Amino acid sequence: YLEGTVRPLRAAILSSDKQRRADEMLDLRFDAALDDALGQMNRLTNLLGAESREVLAQAEAEQNAMLEVIIAILAIGTSLIVLLALALVHYSQARPLRHLSEAALRVREGGAMLLDLDQDLLRRSDEIGTLARSFQSMLTKLAEAQQSLAVQYARVDAAINNLPQGLCMFDAEQNLIICNRRYAELYGL
């Protein structure tokens, strides 16, 4: 590069042509300025390239952080939805079934035949409502059967106790299981 610049400049200086000499000097100044400007531009391009890589790396880090936040929010939201769904299932399914189960256990243990079910439970149109209505109907029929049996027992008891003869019944081991008043009077029981 220098040889290409120096030779024409040397020739211009040695020549007597002032115009040519001025043009060569001017070209030499512009070439130096152009080289300097190109060097500055290369340096700026390198700086901007490094800055842009830093900015891109920072933007990527921010994007990753935002993605982590979004994933965390989605995980928390999903957990809350699952908890709400579980609470809804407990309230609408498990609790009424537990109430029916407790009532069945009370009946099994000889408790009251009254079932204190919510009207909302009886009005339900799903399987739980059907089960509650069936259970209530069964208890009503069972209470009616118990009442009828008690009336029949009272009649039989009255008939047996009003017999003028003594009446008794023994089981297979010869234990007295039933007797009327007359039998008790005769044998001093």
Side-chain angles (χ1 to χ4, degrees):
Y1 171 78
L2 283 176
E3 283 183 23
T5 306
V6 171
R7 276 191 194 152
L9 183 59
R10 182 181 284 174
I13 292 174
L14 294 177
S15 80
S16 58
D17 188 9
K18 286 185 180 184
Q19 182 64 36
R20 185 173 169 219
R21 192 184 322 166
D23 286 344
E24 290 296 328
M25 291 288 278
L26 191 60
D27 283 345
L28 183 62
R29 287 184 186 160
F30 279 124
D31 284 344
L34 182 64
D35 286 343
D36 187 46
L38 286 174
Q40 293 292 333
M41 286 182 67
N42 281 337
R43 196 171 55 211
L44 284 175
T45 303
N46 288 339
L47 287 173
L48 288 176
E51 268 186 40
S52 66
R53 282 189 294 275
E54 289 175 14
V55 168
L56 285 175
Q58 184 179 3
E60 187 176 339
E62 288 175 5
Q63 183 180 19
N64 288 339
M66 186 61 72
L67 185 61
E68 289 175 3
V69 168
I70 289 171
I71 289 172
I73 289 171
L74 287 174
I76 290 170
T78 302
S79 298
L80 288 175
I81 288 172
V82 167
L83 287 175
L84 287 174
L86 288 174
L88 179 65
V89 166
H90 173 74
Y91 181 76
S92 67
Q93 303 293 323
R95 199 173 96 185
L97 287 174
R98 188 178 65 236
H99 189 67
L100 285 171
S101 175
E102 289 169 355
L105 290 174
R106 281 194 310 269
V107 170
R108 184 186 76 188
E109 294 169 0
M113 292 294 168
L114 299 174
L115 186 61
D116 55 340
L117 292 178
D118 291 338
Q119 291 303 313
D120 292 336
L121 184 61
L122 294 171
R123 283 192 293 261
R124 287 176 65 149
S125 61
D126 61 354
E127 291 83 3
I128 293 175
T130 302
L131 181 63
R133 287 187 298 278
S134 297
F135 192 68
Q136 187 176 34
S137 174
M138 179 192 69
L139 285 181
T140 301
K141 288 179 182 177
L142 187 59
E144 290 171 359
Q146 276 185 334
Q147 183 65 28
S148 176
L149 188 61
V151 168
Q152 293 297 328
Y153 178 78
R155 287 181 187 157
V156 170
D157 187 54
I160 290 175
N161 280 320
N162 288 323
L163 286 174
Q165 293 88 14
L167 179 70
C168 68
M169 186 184 299
F170 293 94
D171 63 8
E173 284 112 26
Q174 298 300 317
N175 295 318
L176 179 66
I177 56 172
I178 191 170
C179 69
N180 65 358
R181 269 184 266 152
R182 181 71 181 136
Y183 182 85
E185 289 171 4
L186 289 172
Y187 290 101
L189 299 177

